[in-house]
Amino acid sequence: MNAGVLYAERDLRYEQVSRPAVSSGDVLVKVRCAGICSSDIGRYSSGKMVYKFPLIMGHEFSGEVAKIGEGVNSFSIGEKVAIYPLIPCNSCEFCKEGKHQLCEKYNYLGSRTSGGFAEYVKCPVSCLVKVPKEVGLEDAALIEPMAVALHGVRKLKLQAGSSVLVYGMGTVGLFAVQWARIFGAGKIIVVDRNDFKLSVARKVGATHTVNSQSANVLSSVSEITGGRGTDFVVECSGASEFEFQSLLTVRKGGSVVFVGNPKSKLEIPDDILQKNLVRKEVSILGSWNSVVNDDWQMCIDILAQGAIDCKSLVTHHFQLKDISKVFSDITEKKMEFIKVVFTSD
């Protein structure tokens, strides 16, 4: 089969490799759509978060069942599926509690083992999620970042009319905006450095947008909220500047959830920690990944209802054979994008 294989930092080759053999309990999936995550770009550009070379990246993908291993009777050939990329050990204390995102010995498609930038992927049957006829495969490929956003937003326990501030208008941030809208938030304020991304945010539900390059974020948020700050903050960028501002823009007794992968060290001066965290009694939450039997099912249901917008987030389509140039162009900032999807016939 053909695949995009990462051999080292910025050494990504489209080439033929062996098609995976299917073992008992496994399913071979014919990949139809695969999205590029910002973490894939980091793996390509820096070699970080790669556990072994060579590696087939890609953890946001969907397709059709091509072959079924022994003991698998819950799927049929040709059935549409989305793939939960985290492969839990199913033996640690967290797995036994159903908290697979906290698994202590997990494997992961696209970073620790071969992922979706290939014609075929071997997956444990437990990672497959049925895609109903109402949901297209491109939308299904975006369930992974959609579920990551949902997992973070749900931690905040939003109520109708709540004010929410979302930092970072990448794919996860734009889905966080939509989940805030679905859960009934009143004011939905978003912050980013890119006007195009801010325009998409407004299209999918943001009520206020702030460009941090041209406006003062703290004064803008204060003006929008009448000096109160927002009830909740969802930090999706991973940028230390926005992580720090999260503590300054949340109201007293509010909550901040950190979803984005940190890009640099965050330092909080003593006076800020005392004034803006301790004395404001702010709750700080962490969120990583998602839960397949909970978050993913809710995503499927919402997609089937047509209540969430994926298409506005997909800015580019390419064939897998273009993978080397696409990653090079992204790294060299030759294209403005939100979500890039590789498709196959």
Side-chain angles (χ1 to χ4, degrees):
M1 68 174 186
N2 293 310
V5 185
L6 184 66
Y7 281 90
E9 178 183 327
R10 303 201 182 198
D11 184 3
L12 179 58
R13 311 173 201 173
Y14 179 72
E15 61 185 20
Q16 285 199 329
V17 298
S18 298
R19 186 181 299 186
V22 177
S23 306
S24 176
D26 290 335
V27 174
L28 188 69
V29 174
K30 168 66 176 174
V31 179
R32 294 299 185 187
C33 298
I36 296 179
C37 175
S38 60
S39 64
D40 294 319
I41 299 168
R43 291 183 184 95
Y44 168 81
S45 62
S46 69
K48 295 179 180 178
M49 294 187 291
V50 175
Y51 294 85
K52 63 177 180 179
F53 291 106
L55 172 71
I56 299 173
M57 297 186 295
H59 59 269
E60 302 176 3
F61 62 101
S62 63
E64 298 158 352
V65 174
K67 191 173 182 179
I68 295 172
E70 183 180 348
V72 176
N73 51 28
S74 52
F75 289 88
S76 57
I77 301 297
E79 192 166 9
K80 294 196 304 181
V81 292
I83 293 84
Y84 178 68
L86 191 151
I87 304 172
C89 72
N90 290 318
S91 61
C92 71
E93 63 174 304
F94 298 106
C95 283
K96 291 175 181 177
E97 295 173 0
K99 300 175 181 176
H100 295 142
Q101 81 281 12
L102 299 179
C103 175
E104 296 179 330
K105 296 175 286 186
Y106 68 90
N107 199 351
Y108 207 89
L109 297 167
S111 64
R112 298 175 182 237
T113 192
S114 294
F117 295 155
E119 289 185 291
Y120 294 90
V121 181
K122 180 182 75 171
C123 310
V125 67
S126 60
C127 291
L128 268 60
V129 178
K130 293 177 185 286
V131 176
K133 65 180 185 301
E134 299 90 350
V135 179
L137 284 173
E138 180 171 286
D139 287 357
L142 270 65
I143 292 176
E144 198 279 335
M146 188 189 307
V148 167
L150 172 60
H151 190 70
V153 171
R154 288 175 100 177
K155 287 179 176 290
L156 298 175
K157 298 179 173 57
L158 300 185
Q159 298 178 352
S162 296
S163 58
V164 180
L165 171 57
V166 184
Y167 286 95
M169 290 297 100
T171 306
V172 172
L174 288 165
F175 277 130
V177 169
Q178 297 191 66
W179 285 119
R181 170 180 54 78
I182 289 168
F183 290 144
K187 288 187 176 71
I188 304 175
I189 308 165
V190 302
V191 176
D192 199 276
R193 305 181 180 97
N194 183 290
D195 281 330
F196 171 65
K197 291 181 178 181
L198 290 171
S199 69
V200 175
R202 190 172 284 276
K203 181 179 180 181
V204 299
T207 60
H208 299 78
T209 59
V210 179
N211 187 319
S212 62
Q213 297 272 52
S214 57
N216 182 289
V217 173
L218 302 184
S219 60
S220 296
V221 173
S222 179
E223 181 179 353
I224 294 167
T225 62
R228 180 174 179 269
T230 56
D231 298 321
F232 303 105
V233 175
V234 187
E235 206 303 300
C236 297
S237 74
S240 58
E241 171 192 359
F242 289 163
E243 290 171 338
F244 184 73
Q245 288 177 358
S246 296
L247 304 179
L248 306 180
T249 48
V250 67
R251 68 162 174 84
K252 288 184 176 181
S255 299
V256 177
V257 61
F258 288 98
V259 180
N261 290 320
K263 294 180 174 62
S264 59
K265 183 168 65 173
L266 173 64
E267 295 184 350
I268 304 174
D270 294 349
D271 59 333
I272 297 295
L273 186 66
Q274 175 73 354
K275 178 182 176 182
N276 294 89
L277 183 62
V278 176
R279 294 202 173 198
K280 284 170 63 175
E281 293 195 351
V282 169
S283 296
I284 302 295
L285 303 165
S287 180
W288 187 73
N289 219 280
S290 58
V291 182
V292 67
N293 293 327
D294 188 357
D295 300 319
W296 280 59
Q297 190 54 57
M298 186 169 181
C299 289
I300 288 284
D301 293 342
I302 288 291
L303 280 170
Q305 295 168 24
I308 200 162
D309 183 357
C310 293
K311 289 180 172 49
S312 294
L313 279 59
V314 179
T315 52
H316 296 77
H317 296 88
F318 293 98
Q319 294 293 305
L320 187 61
K321 63 182 175 64
D322 301 317
I323 190 169
S324 298
K325 185 176 188 307
V326 169
F327 269 85
S328 176
D329 286 351
I330 288 174
T331 303
E332 295 174 14
K333 303 188 185 305
K334 292 182 178 180
M335 56 189 285
E336 185 175 56
F337 68 97
I338 295 176
K339 179 59 63 181
V340 176
V341 174
F342 293 112
T343 60
S344 66
D345 299 327

